[in-house]
C-alpha cells in the first residue's frame, strides 16, 4: 500500500535525483557540479534506505543534515554566483529538511500518523 510515509520517501528520492542531475541543465562551476551530484546522490540513497528499512530512525536525521548541507552549500562551496545552481541547492535543501522533519516520529505522531 502506498502510504503518506512512502510518498514522502519517494519525494526524497526524486529530490536527490533532481539535484544530482541538475548540472545537466543549469550553469555551474566545478565545485557546484560535484556538490550537487554528491549531495544529491546521498539524499537519494537516504530515501532509498528509508524505503528499504522503515525502522531506521538514523536515516531521517541524516536526511535532515544532508538537507541543511545542501541548503548552505552555495555559500560554503562558493558557487552562489551561479544563480540557477544555487536555486536548485536552496530548493532541494529546504524541501529535504521539510520531508526529514515530517518523517520524524515525534512530528508524525502530532498529525495522527503512526510513528515508524
Amino acid at each position: 500500500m502506498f502510504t503518506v510515509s512512502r510518498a514522502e520517501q519517494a519525494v526524497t528520492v526524486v529530490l536527490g535525483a533532481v539535484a544530482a542531475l541538475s548540472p545537466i541543465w543549469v550553469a555551474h562551476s566545478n565545485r557546484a557540479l560535484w556538490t550537487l551530484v554528491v549531495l544529491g546522490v546521498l539524499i537519494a540513497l537516504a530515501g532509498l534506505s528509508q524505503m528499504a528499512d522503515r525502522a531506521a530512525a538514523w536515516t531521517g536525521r541524516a536526511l535532515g543534515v544532508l538537507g541543511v548541507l545542501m541548503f548552505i552549500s552555495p555559500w560554503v562551496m562558493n558557487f552562489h554566483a551561479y544563480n540557477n545552481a544555487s536555486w536548485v541547492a536552496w530548493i532541494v535543501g529546504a524541501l529535504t529538511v521539510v520531508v526529514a522533519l515530517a518523517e520524524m516520529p515525534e512530528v508524525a505522531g502530532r498529525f495522527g500518523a503512526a510513528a515508524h
Side-chain angles (χ1 to χ4, degrees), residues 2-93:
F2 197 71
T3 62
V4 174
S5 62
R6 284 284 188 203
E8 292 167 352
Q9 294 161 354
V11 166
T12 302
V13 174
V14 170
L15 286 172
V18 165
L21 296 174
S22 67
I24 294 172
W25 62 83
V26 298
H28 59 278
S29 65
N30 195 32
R31 287 183 179 192
L33 167 79
W34 287 108
T35 302
L36 291 171
V37 169
V38 170
L39 288 176
V41 167
L42 290 175
I43 289 170
L45 287 176
L48 289 173
S49 173
Q50 284 182 323
M51 285 181 165
D53 185 19
R54 296 177 52 109
W58 67 268
T59 55
R61 288 170 178 75
L63 193 59
V65 170
L66 289 171
V68 169
L69 289 175
M70 180 68 86
F71 187 82
I72 65 171
S73 67
W75 296 294
V76 173
M77 298 303 290
N78 198 22
F79 65 89
H80 58 275
Y82 294 92
N83 289 333
N84 292 336
S86 297
W87 276 105
V88 168
W90 293 328
I91 292 170
V92 169

Side-chain angles (χ1 to χ4, degrees), residues 8 61 97-116:
E8 292 167 352
R61 288 170 178 75
V97 169
V98 168
V99 170
L101 288 174
E103 284 282 324
M104 289 187 176
E106 300 85 13
V107 176
R110 288 181 169 251
F111 294 110
H116 42 294

